[in-house]
Amino acid sequence: MFTFRVDDASGQPATDLELYMGMPGHAVFVRRDRRVFAHVHPAGSASMAAIAIGQRTLPDAGRSDPHAHHEGALPATVSFPYGFPEPGDFRIFVQVKRSGRIVTHAFDAHVESTGG
């Protein structure tokens, strides 16, 4: 699980996060040689179309939105489940929405072993 905290200009946890395309954030994991590309959501990498189909076909699925946040502002952290399929150098792009603006930040990761 990869967890990212969004800070404001003073280094404090941001309080202005909003849902972006129905989710708290989006991440892309790309291996430097482009052999691996994964677009990941906080709830996993099911497509929004698949989620919509599931909500229409499962008996209780339409009653609650798994991405809804009813307590006001979203938390300042967003997490993404991901397992690197192979070693290498990766760049991770994370996008969140703050006060109506999409913010993107990149992180680098060096993976020596995938445990497999």
Side-chain angles (χ1 to χ4, degrees):
M1 188 67 73
F2 290 82
T3 300
F4 300 88
R5 186 176 95 174
V6 181
D7 291 340
D8 63 19
S10 67
Q12 297 301 307
T15 59
D16 59 350
L17 293 177
E18 303 170 3
L19 292 179
Y20 172 36
M21 294 193 308
M23 299 184 188
H26 298 260
V28 172
F29 293 76
V30 182
R31 194 170 130 156
R32 290 282 184 168
D33 64 6
R34 313 295 193 271
R35 288 181 43 182
V36 175
F37 177 94
H39 178 176
V40 182
H41 299 128
S45 44
S47 70
M48 292 186 72
I51 291 170
I53 290 168
Q55 288 177 336
R56 287 194 305 268
T57 59
L58 296 174
D60 294 330
R63 294 194 184 149
S64 66
D65 179 354
H67 305 294
H69 193 79
H70 302 288
E71 295 128 27
L74 292 174
T77 59
V78 60
S79 297
F80 302 94
Y82 185 71
F84 292 101
E86 56 189 54
D89 291 317
F90 288 80
R91 178 152 277 193
I92 305 164
F93 296 93
V94 177
Q95 288 188 317
V96 296
K97 187 174 183 181
R98 297 187 63 197
S99 297
R101 286 183 357 154
I102 307 305
V103 178
T104 304
H105 196 78
F107 303 88
D108 292 318
H110 175 74
V111 179
E112 293 185 12
S113 173
T114 59

